[in-house]
Amino acid sequence: MTSSDPTKPLLRALDGEVLPHAPIWLMRQAGRYLPEYRELRASAPSFLDFCYTPQKAAEVTLQPIRRFGFDAAILFSDILVVPDALGQKVSFETGEGPRLDPISGAHDLAGLRDTLDMGRLAPVLETIDRVRTALPAQTAFIGFCGAPWTVATYMIAGRGTPDQAPARLFAYRQPDVFAMLMARLVEVSAHYLIAQLRAGVDVVQIFDSWAGVLPIAEYEKWCVEPIRAIVQKVRADIPGAKIIAFPRGGGAQLLRVADIDGVAGVGLDTSVEPAWAAKALPATITAQGNLDPLALLAGGAALDEGIDRILSAFAGRPHIFNLGHGILPPTPVEHVEHLVKRVRGG
Ligand code: CP3
C-alpha cells in the first residue's frame, strides 16, 4: 500500500522515476462518453444510488481499463459524497448537475454531523475492495476527495455556479462560520482518504477544482493550508501515502501547492504552459496533465500537436499524462484510443 509496487508505472512516476513512456489516465475516464457507461447508468435510479452500488460502481471503474488499458483506474464516485455523509441533502439532477440544501449560516452548519457517517460510505469502501481484486497487476488504483474549498463552494451555493461567488461572499461575511466549515472538511476529508487507502487504493488525488476563483489574498488560507493539513494527517496515519493535488486554475500559485511536504504529484490544468511547469516545478514533483479536453474531442492535428507539445515539454522529468480537466461526454472513443497509442509511442 505504501511502498511502490515496481510493476505499476504510475507509482514509479510518482516516486520521481522518468519512464520511457509517461503513464496515462484521464480525469472522468469512467463516464458518459462510453456507451457501456451510459447503459449501466440507465439502470440506476439516481447518480448517488449508482455511486453507492458497489457492483455497478466497480464495473464502471473497470470499463475504461478494459477498453484502453490505462495505467490507473480512478474510483467511480463523486466529491459530493462527503457532504452527503455529513447529513447534507445532496442530489444530482440529470443535465443540471448537483443540488444541495445550501448552508447559509451557523444554524445550518450546526445541523450537520461532525464526523462522516461511515455507514453511508461503506459501499464506497466495498467498491474499492472489488476493484482492487479485479485490476491487472500493472494498473494503479486512485482514490480521491474534493479539497475543502471546492467542497465548501457546493455546500454553500447548493449547486455549481460560474464563479462560486456565494462561497466567496460567505467567507467574507461570516469568516468564523466559514473557518469552522473548512476545519470540519479538513478533518473528515483526511479521515475519508485514510479509509480509502486502507481499503486498497494506491494513490489519492485531492481535487481543488475551484482553486482558481479564490482571491489571491485567500489562496494560502483556503487552498494551500487545508490541503497541507490533509496531507499531514493522511501521512501521519499512513507514512509514505502517495498524494496528487490538483489546484485547478491557480496559475503560478500551483507552485505553492507543489511545495507542500508530502505531495508527490501536481495536476496541471489547461491554462498551464507545460514548458514553464517542467522547469518551475521541483524536480521531485511529478507533473500530471494537461491536454485540453476540447483537443481530445476535436481530434486530428489539434490532438496530435497537443499531445506532442506536452510529451516534449515533460521529456526527461517525472510526468503522468492526463487532461487539464475531465473528459467531455461527446468525446469520440476512437480519439481516446489514438491518444493512448501516441503517448505510448505508437
Ligand atoms: O474521474 C472519474 O472517472 C471518477 C469519478 C468522478 C466523478 N466526479 C464522476 C461523475 C470524479 C473524480 C468526480 C469529481 C468531481 N465531482 C469534481 C472534481 C473534478 C472536476 O470535475 O472538477 C467535482 C467538482 C464534482 C461535482 C460534480 N459531479 C459535478 C459538478 C457534476 C455535474 C457535471 C456533470 O459532468 O454532469 C457531477 C456529476 C458526475 N460526477 C458525473 C460523473 C460521471 C456525471 C453524472 C452522470 O453520469 O449522470
Side-chain angles (χ1 to χ4, degrees):
M1 181 161 65
T2 53
S3 67
S4 274
D5 184 332
T7 59
K8 299 189 180 190
L10 185 118
L11 302 187
R12 290 168 56 192
L14 281 175
D15 272 342
E17 222 183 295
V18 181
L19 301 168
H21 302 295
I24 175 170
W25 69 280
L26 304 180
M27 289 187 276
R28 292 276 176 98
Q29 65 190 20
R32 286 166 293 186
Y33 73 107
L34 288 177
E36 59 269 36
Y37 172 89
R38 294 195 298 271
E39 195 189 324
L40 201 56
R41 172 72 183 83
S43 74
S46 76
F47 179 68
L48 267 188
D49 278 310
F50 194 40
C51 289
Y52 289 144
T53 307
Q55 180 262 328
K56 291 180 182 174
E59 172 58 23
V60 289
T61 303
L62 293 165
Q63 283 173 349
I65 306 307
R66 288 195 204 106
R67 206 188 248 270
F68 307 111
F70 287 127
D71 292 289
I74 181 160
L75 169 69
F76 186 81
S77 181
D78 198 85
I79 63 168
L80 299 180
V81 300
V82 163
D84 182 61
L86 287 175
Q88 194 173 13
K89 196 164 169 286
V90 180
S91 64
F92 287 82
E93 303 299 327
T94 313
E96 287 183 43
R99 291 288 181 274
L100 300 84
D101 278 352
I103 294 181
S104 53
H107 178 78
D108 296 327
L109 186 57
L112 297 184
R113 299 169 53 97
D114 288 331
T115 57
L116 297 172
D117 175 355
M118 288 311 281
R120 190 89 178 131
L121 296 176
V124 179
L125 302 181
E126 191 190 324
T127 302
I128 293 175
D129 192 54
R130 283 175 180 247
V131 172
R132 185 181 59 81
T133 52
L135 277 179
Q138 73 277 15
T139 314
F141 190 12
I142 303 173
F144 67 91
C145 71
W149 164 247
T150 288
V151 175
T153 63
Y154 289 98
M155 293 179 79
I156 290 167
R159 56 172 65 212
T161 67
D163 54 3
Q164 304 296 30
R168 289 154 63 194
L169 268 175
F170 188 109
Y172 284 134
R173 286 180 173 153
Q174 304 185 67
D176 297 346
V177 182
F178 186 72
M180 273 167 54
L181 170 60
M182 291 292 283
R184 199 177 300 182
L185 287 172
V186 164
E187 284 299 325
V188 302
S189 303
H191 183 81
Y192 184 42
L193 292 183
I194 290 165
Q196 292 182 45
L197 285 158
R198 287 202 185 129
V201 300
D202 301 305
V203 180
V204 287
Q205 176 156 319
I206 303 172
F207 285 88
D208 214 349
S209 303
W210 289 98
V213 302
L214 275 166
I216 192 67
E218 315 293 330
Y219 195 88
E220 188 73 20
K221 194 168 181 198
W222 298 137
C223 170
V224 181
E225 283 179 18
I227 294 177
R228 179 182 290 121
I230 292 172
V231 170
Q232 268 171 4
K233 284 173 194 292
V234 170
R235 287 171 62 92
D237 201 275
I238 302 177
K242 285 192 169 39
I243 303 174
I244 302 171
F246 177 47
R248 187 169 75 93
Q253 304 309 318
L254 74 89
L255 298 180
R256 297 207 235 166
V257 174
D259 265 345
I260 295 172
D261 196 37
V263 163
V266 172
L268 313 177
D269 65 74
T270 311
S271 74
V272 178
E273 169 59 58
W276 169 80
K279 287 203 186 69
L281 285 171
T284 50
I285 294 287
T286 304
Q288 177 173 277
N290 68 338
L291 182 72
D292 183 359
L294 280 173
L296 182 58
L297 198 170
L303 175 56
D304 285 347
E305 284 162 20
I307 298 169
D308 294 351
R309 236 165 61 81
I310 291 166
L311 289 180
S312 67
F314 292 119
R317 77 166 336 281
H319 175 222
I320 296 167
F321 201 99
N322 206 316
L323 298 172
H325 201 195
I327 189 167
L328 297 162
T331 303
V333 163
E334 306 75 55
H335 294 185
V336 180
E337 286 165 356
H338 178 80
L339 164 68
V340 173
K341 217 166 160 190
R342 197 168 179 101
V343 169
R344 294 193 171 144

PDB file of all heavy atoms in Angstrom, residues 27-30 32 37 41 47 74-80 92 97-98 144 154 207 209 325, ligand 1:
ATOM      1  N   MET A  27      -8.920  12.181 -16.244  1.00  0.00           N
ATOM      2  CA  MET A  27      -9.961  12.561 -15.301  1.00  0.00           C
ATOM      3  C   MET A  27     -11.326  12.317 -15.934  1.00  0.00           C
ATOM      4  O   MET A  27     -11.513  12.612 -17.120  1.00  0.00           O
ATOM      5  CB  MET A  27      -9.778  14.029 -14.883  1.00  0.00           C
ATOM      6  CG  MET A  27      -8.550  14.199 -13.982  1.00  0.00           C
ATOM      7  SD  MET A  27      -8.402  15.857 -13.308  1.00  0.00           S
ATOM      8  CE  MET A  27      -7.582  16.681 -14.665  1.00  0.00           C
ATOM      9  N   ARG A  28     -12.247  11.771 -15.151  1.00  0.00           N
ATOM     10  CA  ARG A  28     -13.591  11.370 -15.617  1.00  0.00           C
ATOM     11  C   ARG A  28     -13.535  10.286 -16.689  1.00  0.00           C
ATOM     12  O   ARG A  28     -14.385  10.240 -17.577  1.00  0.00           O
ATOM     13  CB  ARG A  28     -14.386  12.569 -16.155  1.00  0.00           C
ATOM     14  CG  ARG A  28     -14.788  13.576 -15.102  1.00  0.00           C
ATOM     15  CD  ARG A  28     -16.080  13.145 -14.415  1.00  0.00           C
ATOM     16  NE  ARG A  28     -16.417  14.060 -13.342  1.00  0.00           N
ATOM     17  CZ  ARG A  28     -17.294  15.051 -13.454  1.00  0.00           C
ATOM     18  NH1 ARG A  28     -17.933  15.242 -14.574  1.00  0.00           N
ATOM     19  NH2 ARG A  28     -17.534  15.824 -12.432  1.00  0.00           N
ATOM     20  N   GLN A  29     -12.501   9.426 -16.591  1.00  0.00           N
ATOM     21  CA  GLN A  29     -12.377   8.389 -17.624  1.00  0.00           C
ATOM     22  C   GLN A  29     -13.533   7.395 -17.597  1.00  0.00           C
ATOM     23  O   GLN A  29     -13.810   6.738 -18.602  1.00  0.00           O
ATOM     24  CB  GLN A  29     -11.039   7.654 -17.497  1.00  0.00           C
ATOM     25  CG  GLN A  29     -10.854   6.858 -16.218  1.00  0.00           C
ATOM     26  CD  GLN A  29      -9.417   6.354 -16.055  1.00  0.00           C
ATOM     27  OE1 GLN A  29      -8.497   6.868 -16.668  1.00  0.00           O
ATOM     28  NE2 GLN A  29      -9.220   5.344 -15.224  1.00  0.00           N
ATOM     29  N   ALA A  30     -14.183   7.270 -16.432  1.00  0.00           N
ATOM     30  CA  ALA A  30     -15.419   6.482 -16.368  1.00  0.00           C
ATOM     31  C   ALA A  30     -16.552   7.483 -16.521  1.00  0.00           C
ATOM     32  O   ALA A  30     -16.792   8.277 -15.629  1.00  0.00           O
ATOM     33  CB  ALA A  30     -15.514   5.765 -15.027  1.00  0.00           C
ATOM     34  N   ARG A  32     -19.806   9.409 -19.348  1.00  0.00           N
ATOM     35  CA  ARG A  32     -20.840   9.348 -20.379  1.00  0.00           C
ATOM     36  C   ARG A  32     -20.339   9.218 -21.806  1.00  0.00           C
ATOM     37  O   ARG A  32     -21.113   8.924 -22.704  1.00  0.00           O
ATOM     38  CB  ARG A  32     -21.744  10.589 -20.265  1.00  0.00           C
ATOM     39  CG  ARG A  32     -22.685  10.513 -19.078  1.00  0.00           C
ATOM     40  CD  ARG A  32     -23.304  11.858 -18.777  1.00  0.00           C
ATOM     41  NE  ARG A  32     -22.276  12.778 -18.306  1.00  0.00           N
ATOM     42  CZ  ARG A  32     -22.518  14.005 -17.854  1.00  0.00           C
ATOM     43  NH1 ARG A  32     -23.750  14.464 -17.840  1.00  0.00           N
ATOM     44  NH2 ARG A  32     -21.530  14.767 -17.435  1.00  0.00           N
ATOM     45  N   TYR A  37     -20.863   2.753 -20.210  1.00  0.00           N
ATOM     46  CA  TYR A  37     -21.196   3.530 -19.014  1.00  0.00           C
ATOM     47  C   TYR A  37     -22.662   3.957 -19.078  1.00  0.00           C
ATOM     48  O   TYR A  37     -23.413   3.772 -18.128  1.00  0.00           O
ATOM     49  CB  TYR A  37     -20.298   4.769 -18.891  1.00  0.00           C
ATOM     50  CG  TYR A  37     -20.728   5.714 -17.777  1.00  0.00           C
ATOM     51  CD1 TYR A  37     -20.235   5.564 -16.488  1.00  0.00           C
ATOM     52  CD2 TYR A  37     -21.658   6.740 -18.006  1.00  0.00           C
ATOM     53  CE1 TYR A  37     -20.638   6.415 -15.457  1.00  0.00           C
ATOM     54  CE2 TYR A  37     -22.069   7.587 -16.990  1.00  0.00           C
ATOM     55  CZ  TYR A  37     -21.555   7.419 -15.723  1.00  0.00           C
ATOM     56  OH  TYR A  37     -21.974   8.253 -14.699  1.00  0.00           O
ATOM     57  N   ARG A  41     -25.487   3.133 -16.380  1.00  0.00           N
ATOM     58  CA  ARG A  41     -26.008   4.310 -15.673  1.00  0.00           C
ATOM     59  C   ARG A  41     -27.530   4.351 -15.754  1.00  0.00           C
ATOM     60  O   ARG A  41     -28.208   4.738 -14.800  1.00  0.00           O
ATOM     61  CB  ARG A  41     -25.390   5.573 -16.284  1.00  0.00           C
ATOM     62  CG  ARG A  41     -25.953   6.901 -15.813  1.00  0.00           C
ATOM     63  CD  ARG A  41     -25.550   7.220 -14.400  1.00  0.00           C
ATOM     64  NE  ARG A  41     -26.155   8.471 -13.961  1.00  0.00           N
ATOM     65  CZ  ARG A  41     -27.380   8.584 -13.486  1.00  0.00           C
ATOM     66  NH1 ARG A  41     -28.169   7.520 -13.384  1.00  0.00           N
ATOM     67  NH2 ARG A  41     -27.857   9.762 -13.106  1.00  0.00           N
ATOM     68  N   PHE A  47     -27.948   9.190  -9.681  1.00  0.00           N
ATOM     69  CA  PHE A  47     -26.486   9.154  -9.742  1.00  0.00           C
ATOM     70  C   PHE A  47     -25.889   8.719  -8.406  1.00  0.00           C
ATOM     71  O   PHE A  47     -24.939   7.933  -8.368  1.00  0.00           O
ATOM     72  CB  PHE A  47     -25.945  10.525 -10.174  1.00  0.00           C
ATOM     73  CG  PHE A  47     -24.446  10.566 -10.247  1.00  0.00           C
ATOM     74  CD1 PHE A  47     -23.757   9.855 -11.212  1.00  0.00           C
ATOM     75  CD2 PHE A  47     -23.715  11.308  -9.330  1.00  0.00           C
ATOM     76  CE1 PHE A  47     -22.359   9.882 -11.275  1.00  0.00           C
ATOM     77  CE2 PHE A  47     -22.326  11.341  -9.386  1.00  0.00           C
ATOM     78  CZ  PHE A  47     -21.647  10.627 -10.359  1.00  0.00           C
ATOM     79  N   ILE A  74      -9.514   5.132 -11.679  1.00  0.00           N
ATOM     80  CA  ILE A  74      -9.932   6.042 -10.599  1.00  0.00           C
ATOM     81  C   ILE A  74     -11.290   5.569 -10.103  1.00  0.00           C
ATOM     82  O   ILE A  74     -12.189   5.267 -10.897  1.00  0.00           O
ATOM     83  CB  ILE A  74      -9.946   7.525 -11.027  1.00  0.00           C
ATOM     84  CG1 ILE A  74     -10.373   8.415  -9.840  1.00  0.00           C
ATOM     85  CG2 ILE A  74     -10.790   7.785 -12.265  1.00  0.00           C
ATOM     86  CD1 ILE A  74      -9.982   9.885  -9.945  1.00  0.00           C
ATOM     87  N   LEU A  75     -11.370   5.471  -8.791  1.00  0.00           N
ATOM     88  CA  LEU A  75     -12.610   5.046  -8.137  1.00  0.00           C
ATOM     89  C   LEU A  75     -13.798   5.794  -8.723  1.00  0.00           C
ATOM     90  O   LEU A  75     -13.762   7.022  -8.821  1.00  0.00           O
ATOM     91  CB  LEU A  75     -12.478   5.373  -6.639  1.00  0.00           C
ATOM     92  CG  LEU A  75     -13.745   5.264  -5.791  1.00  0.00           C
ATOM     93  CD1 LEU A  75     -14.163   3.810  -5.658  1.00  0.00           C
ATOM     94  CD2 LEU A  75     -13.505   5.890  -4.427  1.00  0.00           C
ATOM     95  N   PHE A  76     -14.857   5.087  -9.070  1.00  0.00           N
ATOM     96  CA  PHE A  76     -16.058   5.773  -9.529  1.00  0.00           C
ATOM     97  C   PHE A  76     -16.880   6.191  -8.324  1.00  0.00           C
ATOM     98  O   PHE A  76     -17.413   5.359  -7.592  1.00  0.00           O
ATOM     99  CB  PHE A  76     -16.904   4.906 -10.466  1.00  0.00           C
ATOM    100  CG  PHE A  76     -18.036   5.709 -11.015  1.00  0.00           C
ATOM    101  CD1 PHE A  76     -17.826   6.558 -12.086  1.00  0.00           C
ATOM    102  CD2 PHE A  76     -19.273   5.702 -10.412  1.00  0.00           C
ATOM    103  CE1 PHE A  76     -18.838   7.376 -12.550  1.00  0.00           C
ATOM    104  CE2 PHE A  76     -20.296   6.507 -10.880  1.00  0.00           C
ATOM    105  CZ  PHE A  76     -20.071   7.346 -11.944  1.00  0.00           C
ATOM    106  N   SER A  77     -16.954   7.489  -8.120  1.00  0.00           N
ATOM    107  CA  SER A  77     -17.718   8.057  -7.009  1.00  0.00           C
ATOM    108  C   SER A  77     -17.854   9.540  -7.308  1.00  0.00           C
ATOM    109  O   SER A  77     -17.797   9.932  -8.471  1.00  0.00           O
ATOM    110  CB  SER A  77     -16.976   7.811  -5.692  1.00  0.00           C
ATOM    111  OG  SER A  77     -17.709   8.330  -4.610  1.00  0.00           O
ATOM    112  N   ASP A  78     -18.033  10.363  -6.298  1.00  0.00           N
ATOM    113  CA  ASP A  78     -18.075  11.804  -6.523  1.00  0.00           C
ATOM    114  C   ASP A  78     -17.577  12.518  -5.278  1.00  0.00           C
ATOM    115  O   ASP A  78     -17.652  11.978  -4.176  1.00  0.00           O
ATOM    116  CB  ASP A  78     -19.507  12.262  -6.842  1.00  0.00           C
ATOM    117  CG  ASP A  78     -19.504  13.634  -7.495  1.00  0.00           C
ATOM    118  OD1 ASP A  78     -19.346  13.713  -8.725  1.00  0.00           O
ATOM    119  OD2 ASP A  78     -19.608  14.641  -6.765  1.00  0.00           O
ATOM    120  N   ILE A  79     -17.077  13.745  -5.464  1.00  0.00           N
ATOM    121  CA  ILE A  79     -16.588  14.501  -4.298  1.00  0.00           C
ATOM    122  C   ILE A  79     -17.741  14.860  -3.352  1.00  0.00           C
ATOM    123  O   ILE A  79     -17.498  15.125  -2.179  1.00  0.00           O
ATOM    124  CB  ILE A  79     -15.817  15.781  -4.708  1.00  0.00           C
ATOM    125  CG1 ILE A  79     -16.719  16.767  -5.443  1.00  0.00           C
ATOM    126  CG2 ILE A  79     -14.601  15.435  -5.568  1.00  0.00           C
ATOM    127  CD1 ILE A  79     -16.086  18.167  -5.603  1.00  0.00           C
ATOM    128  N   LEU A  80     -18.986  14.849  -3.857  1.00  0.00           N
ATOM    129  CA  LEU A  80     -20.101  15.301  -3.021  1.00  0.00           C
ATOM    130  C   LEU A  80     -20.681  14.198  -2.143  1.00  0.00           C
ATOM    131  O   LEU A  80     -21.668  14.423  -1.435  1.00  0.00           O
ATOM    132  CB  LEU A  80     -21.168  15.974  -3.885  1.00  0.00           C
ATOM    133  CG  LEU A  80     -20.643  17.220  -4.624  1.00  0.00           C
ATOM    134  CD1 LEU A  80     -21.735  17.857  -5.478  1.00  0.00           C
ATOM    135  CD2 LEU A  80     -20.085  18.256  -3.642  1.00  0.00           C
ATOM    136  N   PHE A  92     -28.488  14.772  -7.646  1.00  0.00           N
ATOM    137  CA  PHE A  92     -27.977  15.164  -8.961  1.00  0.00           C
ATOM    138  C   PHE A  92     -29.143  15.177  -9.919  1.00  0.00           C
ATOM    139  O   PHE A  92     -29.814  14.160 -10.105  1.00  0.00           O
ATOM    140  CB  PHE A  92     -26.904  14.184  -9.442  1.00  0.00           C
ATOM    141  CG  PHE A  92     -25.602  14.330  -8.708  1.00  0.00           C
ATOM    142  CD1 PHE A  92     -25.418  13.736  -7.464  1.00  0.00           C
ATOM    143  CD2 PHE A  92     -24.559  15.064  -9.243  1.00  0.00           C
ATOM    144  CE1 PHE A  92     -24.219  13.871  -6.773  1.00  0.00           C
ATOM    145  CE2 PHE A  92     -23.358  15.206  -8.566  1.00  0.00           C
ATOM    146  CZ  PHE A  92     -23.185  14.605  -7.328  1.00  0.00           C
ATOM    147  N   GLY A  97     -26.628  18.980 -13.035  1.00  0.00           N
ATOM    148  CA  GLY A  97     -25.571  18.938 -12.033  1.00  0.00           C
ATOM    149  C   GLY A  97     -26.106  18.807 -10.620  1.00  0.00           C
ATOM    150  O   GLY A  97     -27.289  18.564 -10.407  1.00  0.00           O
ATOM    151  N   PRO A  98     -25.218  18.987  -9.642  1.00  0.00           N
ATOM    152  CA  PRO A  98     -25.586  18.712  -8.252  1.00  0.00           C
ATOM    153  C   PRO A  98     -26.513  19.760  -7.630  1.00  0.00           C
ATOM    154  O   PRO A  98     -26.456  20.933  -7.987  1.00  0.00           O
ATOM    155  CB  PRO A  98     -24.229  18.725  -7.537  1.00  0.00           C
ATOM    156  CG  PRO A  98     -23.268  19.422  -8.431  1.00  0.00           C
ATOM    157  CD  PRO A  98     -23.800  19.343  -9.817  1.00  0.00           C
ATOM    158  N   PHE A 144      -9.960   9.387  -4.166  1.00  0.00           N
ATOM    159  CA  PHE A 144      -9.953  10.858  -4.214  1.00  0.00           C
ATOM    160  C   PHE A 144     -10.916  11.459  -3.215  1.00  0.00           C
ATOM    161  O   PHE A 144     -11.799  10.802  -2.671  1.00  0.00           O
ATOM    162  CB  PHE A 144     -10.311  11.355  -5.622  1.00  0.00           C
ATOM    163  CG  PHE A 144     -11.741  11.061  -6.026  1.00  0.00           C
ATOM    164  CD1 PHE A 144     -12.755  11.980  -5.779  1.00  0.00           C
ATOM    165  CD2 PHE A 144     -12.071   9.865  -6.638  1.00  0.00           C
ATOM    166  CE1 PHE A 144     -14.080  11.706  -6.149  1.00  0.00           C
ATOM    167  CE2 PHE A 144     -13.387   9.577  -7.013  1.00  0.00           C
ATOM    168  CZ  PHE A 144     -14.384  10.501  -6.763  1.00  0.00           C
ATOM    169  N   TYR A 154     -19.750  24.086  -3.097  1.00  0.00           N
ATOM    170  CA  TYR A 154     -21.025  23.419  -3.411  1.00  0.00           C
ATOM    171  C   TYR A 154     -21.946  23.379  -2.193  1.00  0.00           C
ATOM    172  O   TYR A 154     -23.165  23.512  -2.314  1.00  0.00           O
ATOM    173  CB  TYR A 154     -20.777  21.991  -3.923  1.00  0.00           C
ATOM    174  CG  TYR A 154     -20.179  21.969  -5.312  1.00  0.00           C
ATOM    175  CD1 TYR A 154     -18.808  21.816  -5.506  1.00  0.00           C
ATOM    176  CD2 TYR A 154     -20.977  22.113  -6.442  1.00  0.00           C
ATOM    177  CE1 TYR A 154     -18.244  21.814  -6.772  1.00  0.00           C
ATOM    178  CE2 TYR A 154     -20.420  22.113  -7.720  1.00  0.00           C
ATOM    179  CZ  TYR A 154     -19.058  21.966  -7.871  1.00  0.00           C
ATOM    180  OH  TYR A 154     -18.515  21.969  -9.135  1.00  0.00           O
ATOM    181  N   PHE A 207      -8.968  16.983  -5.355  1.00  0.00           N
ATOM    182  CA  PHE A 207      -9.433  17.862  -6.435  1.00  0.00           C
ATOM    183  C   PHE A 207      -9.803  19.231  -5.872  1.00  0.00           C
ATOM    184  O   PHE A 207     -10.825  19.370  -5.203  1.00  0.00           O
ATOM    185  CB  PHE A 207     -10.696  17.290  -7.091  1.00  0.00           C
ATOM    186  CG  PHE A 207     -10.470  16.108  -7.997  1.00  0.00           C
ATOM    187  CD1 PHE A 207     -10.471  14.807  -7.496  1.00  0.00           C
ATOM    188  CD2 PHE A 207     -10.292  16.286  -9.364  1.00  0.00           C
ATOM    189  CE1 PHE A 207     -10.287  13.716  -8.340  1.00  0.00           C
ATOM    190  CE2 PHE A 207     -10.111  15.192 -10.212  1.00  0.00           C
ATOM    191  CZ  PHE A 207     -10.100  13.909  -9.697  1.00  0.00           C
ATOM    192  N   SER A 209     -10.958  21.882  -7.658  1.00  0.00           N
ATOM    193  CA  SER A 209     -11.414  22.314  -8.985  1.00  0.00           C
ATOM    194  C   SER A 209     -11.710  23.802  -9.044  1.00  0.00           C
ATOM    195  O   SER A 209     -11.702  24.394 -10.116  1.00  0.00           O
ATOM    196  CB  SER A 209     -12.671  21.548  -9.366  1.00  0.00           C
ATOM    197  OG  SER A 209     -12.402  20.168  -9.317  1.00  0.00           O
ATOM    198  N   HIS A 325      -8.604  18.886 -17.514  1.00  0.00           N
ATOM    199  CA  HIS A 325      -9.842  18.761 -16.739  1.00  0.00           C
ATOM    200  C   HIS A 325     -10.553  17.520 -17.262  1.00  0.00           C
ATOM    201  O   HIS A 325      -9.984  16.798 -18.085  1.00  0.00           O
ATOM    202  CB  HIS A 325     -10.693  20.030 -16.868  1.00  0.00           C
ATOM    203  CG  HIS A 325     -11.698  20.187 -15.755  1.00  0.00           C
ATOM    204  ND1 HIS A 325     -12.749  21.073 -15.811  1.00  0.00           N
ATOM    205  CD2 HIS A 325     -11.817  19.569 -14.550  1.00  0.00           C
ATOM    206  CE1 HIS A 325     -13.457  21.005 -14.697  1.00  0.00           C
ATOM    207  NE2 HIS A 325     -12.908  20.084 -13.918  1.00  0.00           N
TER     208      HIS A 325
HETATM  209  O1  CP3 B   1     -12.820  10.657 -12.846  1.00  0.00           O
HETATM  210  C1  CP3 B   1     -13.563   9.647 -12.770  1.00  0.00           C
HETATM  211  O2  CP3 B   1     -13.830   8.915 -13.736  1.00  0.00           O
HETATM  212  C2  CP3 B   1     -14.067   9.234 -11.390  1.00  0.00           C
HETATM  213  C3  CP3 B   1     -15.326   9.723 -10.999  1.00  0.00           C
HETATM  214  C4  CP3 B   1     -15.565  11.188 -10.659  1.00  0.00           C
HETATM  215  C5  CP3 B   1     -16.827  11.796 -10.856  1.00  0.00           C
HETATM  216  N1  CP3 B   1     -16.792  13.042 -10.307  1.00  0.00           N
HETATM  217  C6  CP3 B   1     -17.977  11.138 -11.511  1.00  0.00           C
HETATM  218  C7  CP3 B   1     -19.104  11.964 -12.003  1.00  0.00           C
HETATM  219  C8  CP3 B   1     -14.743  12.131 -10.047  1.00  0.00           C
HETATM  220  C9  CP3 B   1     -13.269  12.032  -9.668  1.00  0.00           C
HETATM  221  C10 CP3 B   1     -15.536  13.304  -9.821  1.00  0.00           C
HETATM  222  C11 CP3 B   1     -15.032  14.502  -9.142  1.00  0.00           C
HETATM  223  C12 CP3 B   1     -15.871  15.695  -9.086  1.00  0.00           C
HETATM  224  N2  CP3 B   1     -17.228  15.779  -8.917  1.00  0.00           N
HETATM  225  C13 CP3 B   1     -15.356  17.020  -9.106  1.00  0.00           C
HETATM  226  C14 CP3 B   1     -13.901  17.383  -9.171  1.00  0.00           C
HETATM  227  C15 CP3 B   1     -13.342  17.266 -10.541  1.00  0.00           C
HETATM  228  C16 CP3 B   1     -13.931  18.228 -11.540  1.00  0.00           C
HETATM  229  O3  CP3 B   1     -14.565  17.748 -12.483  1.00  0.00           O
HETATM  230  O4  CP3 B   1     -13.711  19.437 -11.377  1.00  0.00           O
HETATM  231  C17 CP3 B   1     -16.457  17.891  -8.994  1.00  0.00           C
HETATM  232  C18 CP3 B   1     -16.393  19.405  -8.995  1.00  0.00           C
HETATM  233  C19 CP3 B   1     -17.634  17.095  -8.868  1.00  0.00           C
HETATM  234  C20 CP3 B   1     -19.032  17.548  -8.666  1.00  0.00           C
HETATM  235  C21 CP3 B   1     -19.910  17.130  -9.787  1.00  0.00           C
HETATM  236  N3  CP3 B   1     -20.309  15.824 -10.023  1.00  0.00           N
HETATM  237  C22 CP3 B   1     -20.495  17.941 -10.785  1.00  0.00           C
HETATM  238  C23 CP3 B   1     -20.304  19.440 -10.910  1.00  0.00           C
HETATM  239  C24 CP3 B   1     -21.257  17.107 -11.618  1.00  0.00           C
HETATM  240  C25 CP3 B   1     -22.139  17.522 -12.769  1.00  0.00           C
HETATM  241  C26 CP3 B   1     -21.385  17.783 -14.015  1.00  0.00           C
HETATM  242  C27 CP3 B   1     -21.503  16.618 -14.965  1.00  0.00           C
HETATM  243  O5  CP3 B   1     -20.476  16.271 -15.572  1.00  0.00           O
HETATM  244  O6  CP3 B   1     -22.592  16.085 -15.099  1.00  0.00           O
HETATM  245  C28 CP3 B   1     -21.103  15.778 -11.148  1.00  0.00           C
HETATM  246  C29 CP3 B   1     -21.700  14.560 -11.722  1.00  0.00           C
HETATM  247  C30 CP3 B   1     -20.784  13.456 -12.111  1.00  0.00           C
HETATM  248  N4  CP3 B   1     -19.728  13.012 -11.366  1.00  0.00           N
HETATM  249  C31 CP3 B   1     -20.868  12.665 -13.293  1.00  0.00           C
HETATM  250  C32 CP3 B   1     -19.830  11.721 -13.225  1.00  0.00           C
HETATM  251  C33 CP3 B   1     -19.513  10.623 -14.209  1.00  0.00           C
HETATM  252  C34 CP3 B   1     -21.949  12.790 -14.380  1.00  0.00           C
HETATM  253  C35 CP3 B   1     -23.272  12.303 -13.890  1.00  0.00           C
HETATM  254  C36 CP3 B   1     -23.899  11.162 -14.674  1.00  0.00           C
HETATM  255  O7  CP3 B   1     -23.229  10.387 -15.377  1.00  0.00           O
HETATM  256  O8  CP3 B   1     -25.106  11.003 -14.539  1.00  0.00           O
END
